[in-house]
Amino acid sequence: MSFNNYGNEYEDEIAYFANEYFKYADLKDEAYNYLPWVYESFKSYTMTLSGIGLPDETHRKYIEAAMWKIPKGSPTHKMALSGVISVLKQRSHANYLPFAEAYIEAFASKDPASAASMQQEVQQLKAFMSGGVAPDFSQPDTSGVDVKLSDLRGKVLLVDFWASWCGPCRRENPNVVQMYNKYKDKGFDILGVSLDSNRDKWLGAIASDGLIWHHVSDLKGWSNAVAQQYGVNSIPHTILLDREGKIIARGLRGPALEQKLEEILGSR
């Protein structure tokens, strides 16, 4: 709300939020080494920036700018990075890797056990982040026939985690339909992975929303094996793959998805 009164020097509310959030916190002060507020505030800050569809580079630069004055390797730095990483891991965000690697570098000598644990976690999650080849999976489609992810290689593929009971998913579906219709003839396809447990409601939502692409589900709700495999903790959640099955980005929706598809397929 304060943007209208105090944000004149910024181009928009996002830049205002990102640059002003820690304005009055002198994070060089050693007193912050003992304040759990650091962890919680960087967690909240990252959660907000991660929920508005920022390009990965812009998202990373805002967070790096927020912590650049914190003494590297200090307890304050450790709490700040931990807050950031906890959110990015939960959201399977592409920027999890650079911040996790920054943690390892900063604390390899100061806290080797913690750094080693983070290194092990990074190795486990790398395949599910941008640049990794998406691990293959197979689930039944609406007819009960198993569909493998690898069967759909050769096109730019959006793996869309959703459910009939998910309000935000259903509100996002018209945007996904629009993107599908715009780019399907340019090499774009979609695989919907439903976290439904009721088959009739799943099929009803597909028909009602006009989702005329591939759909799979094991009808186990939040225990869906693919969602578990890919660390999906909230929906809607998307994973965009290139023609070889490598992950381009995660969590793209609305304008961010359209921008990325235009970048990849718009000139074809």
Side-chain angles (χ1 to χ4, degrees):
M1 295 292 289
S2 62
F3 171 72
N4 292 329
N5 295 319
Y6 303 106
N8 293 336
E9 65 182 285
Y10 296 100
E11 57 182 325
D12 55 38
E13 289 157 291
I14 297 172
Y16 175 69
F17 168 84
N19 289 282
E20 295 287 317
Y21 191 90
F22 292 103
K23 182 175 182 179
Y24 296 106
D26 181 7
L27 295 169
K28 299 188 299 296
D29 189 329
E30 292 185 0
Y32 283 94
N33 287 338
Y34 310 100
L35 294 178
W37 171 88
V38 175
Y39 173 84
E40 295 297 339
S41 61
F42 271 91
K43 185 176 178 180
S44 176
Y45 178 78
T46 304
M47 182 68 76
T48 299
L49 290 179
S50 301
I52 52 180
L54 288 174
D56 292 345
E57 183 178 358
T58 303
H59 175 274
R60 185 175 66 254
K61 285 182 176 179
Y62 277 145
I63 298 173
E64 288 173 344
M67 62 170 58
W68 77 273
K69 291 184 178 179
I70 303 175
K72 186 175 179 180
S74 67
T76 302
H77 189 216
K78 189 174 186 179
M79 286 190 288
L81 272 174
S82 296
V84 169
I85 290 167
S86 70
V87 171
L88 299 183
K89 179 185 177 183
Q90 179 185 19
R91 298 181 68 93
S92 300
H93 197 287
N95 282 334
Y96 164 82
L97 286 178
F99 285 105
E101 288 167 352
Y103 183 99
I104 293 166
E105 179 187 354
F107 298 102
S109 59
K110 292 178 178 289
D111 188 351
S114 176
S117 177
M118 182 67 69
Q119 182 67 59
Q120 183 178 13
E121 183 178 283
V122 165
Q123 292 305 315
Q124 292 173 343
L125 294 176
K126 231 170 189 178
F128 299 95
M129 301 295 178
S130 297
V133 175
D136 205 5
F137 61 81
S138 175
Q139 278 198 351
D141 67 9
T142 56
S143 301
V145 177
D146 282 350
V147 173
K148 292 177 65 176
L149 177 67
S150 55
D151 291 340
L152 302 175
R153 286 196 183 157
K155 292 187 176 183
V156 173
L157 182 70
L158 185 74
V159 183
D160 184 17
F161 293 88
W162 73 295
S164 65
W165 46 260
C166 168
C169 302
R170 303 295 295 275
R171 289 192 292 272
E172 178 67 13
N173 277 343
N175 296 324
V176 183
V177 170
Q178 181 185 355
M179 293 303 99
Y180 180 74
N181 290 333
K182 183 175 181 179
Y183 293 105
K184 64 181 180 179
D185 295 330
K186 296 184 176 182
F188 177 57
D189 208 348
I190 301 175
L191 175 62
V193 180
S194 172
L195 275 66
D196 275 286
S197 55
N198 184 300
R199 177 179 173 78
D200 291 338
K201 290 182 179 179
W202 173 42
L203 298 181
I206 292 172
S208 175
D209 293 1
L211 313 182
I212 55 173
W213 45 79
H214 314 281
H215 292 276
V216 297
S217 181
D218 59 11
L219 296 176
K220 294 181 179 179
W222 277 110
S223 297
N224 181 287
V226 179
Q228 297 285 312
Q229 179 183 6
Y230 276 75
V232 174
N233 298 303
S234 63
I235 53 174
H237 185 86
T238 60
I239 305 175
L240 187 64
L241 309 181
D242 68 12
R243 291 175 177 81
E244 287 73 48
K246 292 182 180 179
I247 297 174
I248 298 172
R250 296 186 67 146
L252 295 179
R253 301 200 302 272
L257 174 60
E258 183 171 12
Q259 180 180 346
K260 180 59 71 173
L261 290 176
E262 179 66 25
E263 176 187 319
I264 298 169
L265 299 169
S267 61
R268 291 179 62 86

